[in-house]
Amino acid sequence: MSVVILGIESSCDDTSAAVIRDGNLLSNQISNQDVHRLYGGVVPELASRAHQANIIPVVDSALKLANINKNEVNAVAFTRGPGLLGSLLVGSSFAKGFALAQNIPLLGINHLQGHILAHFVKDKGIDRHPSFPFLCLLVSGGHTQLVVVRNYLDMEIIGQTIDDAAGEAFDKCAKVMGLPYPGGPVIDKLAKIGNPQAFQFAKPLQKGLDFSFSGLKTSFLYFLRDRLNENPNFIEQNKEDLCASLQFTIISILLEKVEKAAKKTNITEIAIAGGVSANSGLRGAITQLGEKRGWNVYIPEFRFTTDNAAMIAIAGYYKYLNGDFTGHEVIPLARFPL
Ligand code: KG4
Ligand code: ZN
């Protein structure tokens, strides 16, 4: 018998629904919330309201696109956390209502596990995924972690940021330069035509496999403040070089630790996941490093890097196979460690 999972993602500012049959993607609809651009960051109250408006049309369109009737869905998987509580409440309440109405099981998913398991979504016959155990660099707007993945639902964090996440470093530095939110993709684009060696920024030294980005942010801020004192047009005149140098620094902080972790664990299957894994500089640099070190490197397709429900549905699929269901008394968690 085949297994159809409806996935719901609403942890931050994207409302998404996806349908997966036996691990194969049938649809993955995402509704982005442009309203936050006006404020230079996600406004939680506005995010929950937008989820509330978007969730039914997004689910409806995911089911239609998948050509699946709601009676054919075997279970509904939703993001339980981590994320913005008001946003998570919309997705979890919808999922509970849907499961109750259809009399099907509910699967509460950890968003971070979802990002990592996005590698296992099969799409139009394409099925290239890491083998266990693999090492995953999970880099998003809220998290930066090195994770040993032993099995679909057996993961261990061996290193993580002690302050800002990599995505936050991109977004906060972009804000300082007056670039629109979210800054990560904008920096990525401008960095392509800049010189990564033009400027040097402090690389905070962090012991072991942990990361730190707040020192870099401060050093970037002070550097700009000094230069702007001399030349008020400094940012405008050097935007591309600033972006390229900043991106280069963030990538080298990340890759130094990946290299260290690979050595320590003796793992040569290396994956990246999360919103920042969309960064073209990171994708290129880890591919090159992998060739040098003899690793097999796994880079997710762009549409599976930032928040999406396909990753929640695939995590739900493996939980379903394990019989790991969630009761209706479950509440979303703003903090939800792996
Ligand atoms: O995984 P995600 O969609 O949401 C969270 O779970 O946080 O990640 C969003 C983060 C933002 O910080 C955004 O700036 C960053 O991913 N991001 C990028 C790129 N695309 C998205 N950062 C650098 N380069 C990109 N191309
Ligand atoms: Zn995410």
Side-chain angles (χ1 to χ4, degrees):
M1 195 196 86
S2 74
V3 176
V4 176
I5 307 283
L6 168 67
I8 311 282
E9 155 63 30
S10 72
S11 65
C12 191
D13 60 340
D14 297 308
T15 319
S16 179
V19 181
I20 277 189
R21 185 199 278 130
D22 299 327
N24 294 290
L25 187 66
L26 300 184
S27 65
N28 184 29
Q29 297 297 88
I30 304 176
S31 168
N32 307 113
Q33 303 179 359
D34 285 337
V35 60
H36 306 290
R37 279 180 202 277
L38 292 171
Y39 302 91
V42 177
V43 182
E45 174 75 24
L46 295 178
S48 3
R49 289 186 204 193
H51 283 305
Q52 185 74 5
N54 296 340
I55 188 113
I56 290 179
V58 168
V59 170
D60 195 43
S61 110
L63 288 170
K64 281 200 178 111
L65 195 69
N67 203 15
I68 288 284
N69 187 288
K70 62 181 187 313
N71 300 325
E72 296 171 84
V73 176
N74 296 99
V76 51
F78 68 96
T79 305
R80 187 177 172 204
L84 300 171
L85 201 63
S87 291
L88 291 165
L89 276 165
V90 178
S92 59
S93 302
F94 177 88
K96 285 182 188 184
F98 191 96
L100 200 62
Q102 296 302 121
N103 196 22
I104 53 175
L106 199 57
L107 303 151
I109 306 298
N110 183 306
H111 179 83
L112 305 173
Q113 231 171 30
H115 270 302
I116 295 173
L117 293 176
H119 281 279
F120 294 89
V121 175
K122 289 179 261 178
D123 191 17
K124 296 190 186 82
I126 299 173
D127 181 15
R128 182 183 182 264
H129 57 76
S131 14
F132 302 118
F134 67 91
L135 188 65
C136 187
L137 172 70
L138 172 59
V139 267
S140 71
H143 294 82
T144 296
Q145 300 177 332
L146 277 165
V147 183
V148 174
V149 186
R150 298 204 177 83
N151 211 325
Y152 299 110
L153 303 170
D154 179 6
M155 307 184 182
E156 184 194 351
I157 299 168
I158 57 166
Q160 59 190 318
T161 181
I162 58 154
D163 40 56
D164 290 348
E168 248 176 310
F170 272 107
D171 296 343
K172 286 181 177 171
C173 291
K175 200 169 183 176
V176 172
M177 286 188 279
L179 299 175
Y181 177 86
V186 184
I187 290 184
D188 188 356
K189 200 166 158 207
L190 291 168
K192 285 188 181 137
I193 40 171
N195 172 10
Q197 310 296 341
F199 307 108
Q200 261 81 48
F201 304 113
K203 268 202 279 177
L205 285 176
Q206 195 53 42
K207 271 193 265 157
L209 297 176
D210 286 341
F211 303 87
S212 167
F213 287 101
S214 74
L216 169 63
K217 180 190 62 193
T218 315
S219 125
F220 188 71
L221 188 72
Y222 287 168
F223 172 84
L224 285 185
R225 195 188 54 187
D226 293 348
R227 295 300 168 101
L228 284 170
N229 275 339
E230 297 157 10
N231 171 11
N233 297 322
F234 181 77
I235 296 180
E236 200 42 51
Q237 288 165 0
N238 295 279
K239 218 161 33 187
E240 293 80 7
D241 286 350
L242 283 167
C243 289
S245 303
L246 176 72
Q247 180 171 296
F248 177 82
T249 313
I250 295 175
I251 293 171
S252 50
I253 294 172
L254 293 172
L255 293 189
E256 258 170 42
K257 299 290 177 159
V258 172
E259 217 168 353
K260 213 167 174 177
K263 222 181 233 168
K264 191 169 172 196
T265 56
N266 248 335
I267 294 176
T268 53
E269 294 279 301
I270 312 286
I272 53 174
V276 179
S277 71
N279 184 266
S280 56
L282 175 62
R283 293 163 85 92
I286 199 162
T287 305
Q288 268 184 10
L289 185 62
E291 279 163 13
K292 215 160 92 186
R293 296 280 175 259
W295 302 337
N296 294 320
V297 172
Y298 300 85
I299 293 173
E301 266 186 59
F302 281 110
R303 63 205 164 111
F304 299 140
T305 56
T306 46
D307 292 347
N308 65 88
M311 69 187 203
I312 302 305
I314 192 77
Y317 174 62
Y318 289 108
K319 279 202 145 187
Y320 184 93
L321 295 182
N322 265 5
D324 188 357
F325 303 119
T326 307
H328 278 252
E329 73 290 348
V330 75
I331 51 163
L333 299 171
R335 288 173 180 274
F336 189 8
L338 255 183

